[in-house]
Amino acid sequence: NAGVTQTPKFQVLKTGQSMTLQCAQDMNHNSMYWYRQDPGMGLRLIYYSASEGTTDKGEVPNGYNVSRLNKREFSLRLESAAPSQTSVYFCASNMGGGLVNTGELFFGEGSRLTVL
Amino acid sequence: AQSVTQPDIHITVSEGASLELRCNYSYGATPYLFWYVQSPGQGLQLLLKYFSGDTLVQGIKGFEAEFKRSQSSFNLRKPSVHWSDAAEYFCAVGTSGGYQKVTFGTGTKLQVIP
């Protein structure tokens, strides 16, 4: 049972470099999410995709872009990394939409990003 | 907009002692409430959830939580803590229907001493 898989697990970037975090889920979920976790701030939503073909901004979208490549995959891109983007990034998914949505989020193990 | 407050940043308990982690939420309608646990270097795992019905909900690993609408609270409890319960715990509130916007609290880090 792979669940939600994120790559890479660790990455060090220099200011101004770009990179893409990959996320894939094998649970046939409709909705996918990217969160960042910073000490003392809990998890904050960066972007989400309620269903294949749609993406929307969350609380802290500045400096990020996303692509919902297909139903399984949702990537997060940093075009020009900044030290303020040093964080742990989590991808999550759930069924999404309507009465069948229990709301439970399934998380990947996280990607630790350091921007120097 | 909804919000979640976890007033305790860090809690230390002795193994075998009881535990209560506090959570207060703000949301205009009936909330969906969750508790997640995060072990070091891991993602978050759902402990339990409340949508409706019985206000005392049971979860995994012997945890329970009670929804108190009058106090806007959803506190997590465990009668006897084990060393393996040391982790960070997050309370979260979700909106109902359609896309579920889930807002997390800032977390409570639990330390268990022998």
Side-chain angles (χ1 to χ4, degrees):
Chain A
N1 289 344
V4 179
T5 304
Q6 293 181 231
T7 56
K9 288 190 167 34
F10 301 94
Q11 184 73 49
V12 178
L13 292 177
K14 295 181 180 177
T15 298
Q17 288 185 319
S18 63
M19 78 157 298
T20 300
L21 299 176
Q22 307 285 354
C23 175
Q25 52 89 11
D26 62 2
M27 295 173 282
N28 200 35
H29 284 165
N30 294 304
S31 299
M32 298 185 73
Y33 310 79
W34 276 105
Y35 286 89
R36 61 178 288 174
Q37 183 179 28
D38 302 290
M41 302 192 75
L43 279 81
R44 292 180 293 168
L45 184 64
I46 305 171
Y47 270 93
Y48 67 95
S49 171
S51 61
E52 186 178 358
T54 69
T55 60
D56 284 287
K57 296 177 180 179
E59 291 177 71
V60 289
N62 292 344
Y64 304 95
N65 285 300
V66 290
S67 296
R68 184 74 182 266
L69 305 170
N70 47 56
K71 191 170 185 179
R72 291 188 62 247
E73 298 173 287
F74 188 40
S75 63
L76 178 72
R77 183 161 179 82
L78 287 70
E79 290 290 354
S80 179
S84 61
Q85 294 178 302
T86 294
S87 187
V88 181
Y89 292 85
F90 286 97
C91 179
S93 68
N94 68 5
M95 280 299 298
L99 296 177
V100 298
N101 181 15
T102 67
E104 175 181 358
L105 289 167
F106 294 81
F107 285 85
E109 293 188 344
S111 298
R112 186 175 294 274
L113 175 66
T114 301
V115 183
L116 303 175
Chain B
Q2 71 261 40
S3 65
V4 178
T5 301
Q6 293 181 248
D8 303 307
I9 297 172
H10 190 272
I11 282 184
T12 300
V13 300
S14 299
E15 191 168 14
S18 63
L19 172 70
E20 182 168 26
L21 302 182
R22 295 183 290 165
C23 172
N24 292 97
Y25 70 90
S26 173
Y27 182 57
T30 299
Y32 287 5
L33 295 164
F34 309 87
W35 275 99
Y36 287 85
V37 60
Q38 183 182 31
S39 298
Q42 301 294 312
L44 279 72
Q45 179 187 20
L46 183 72
L47 279 177
L48 47 78
K49 60 191 176 189
Y50 170 80
F51 291 150
S52 64
D54 193 349
T55 56
L56 184 64
V57 294
Q58 303 296 321
I60 62 172
K61 304 185 181 186
F63 285 92
E64 67 178 27
E66 186 171 11
F67 170 57
K68 293 186 177 180
R69 184 187 300 275
S70 62
Q71 298 177 20
S72 298
S73 70
F74 189 57
N75 293 350
L76 182 72
R77 302 194 294 249
K78 186 169 185 178
S80 177
V81 170
H82 188 263
W83 64 266
S84 61
D85 293 324
E88 191 158 18
Y89 293 80
F90 292 91
C91 182
V93 59
T95 58
S96 56
Y99 155 63
Q100 273 234 345
K101 180 180 178 182
V102 180
T103 300
F104 287 84
T106 52
T108 298
K109 190 163 286 188
L110 174 65
Q111 181 182 9
V112 180
I113 55 176

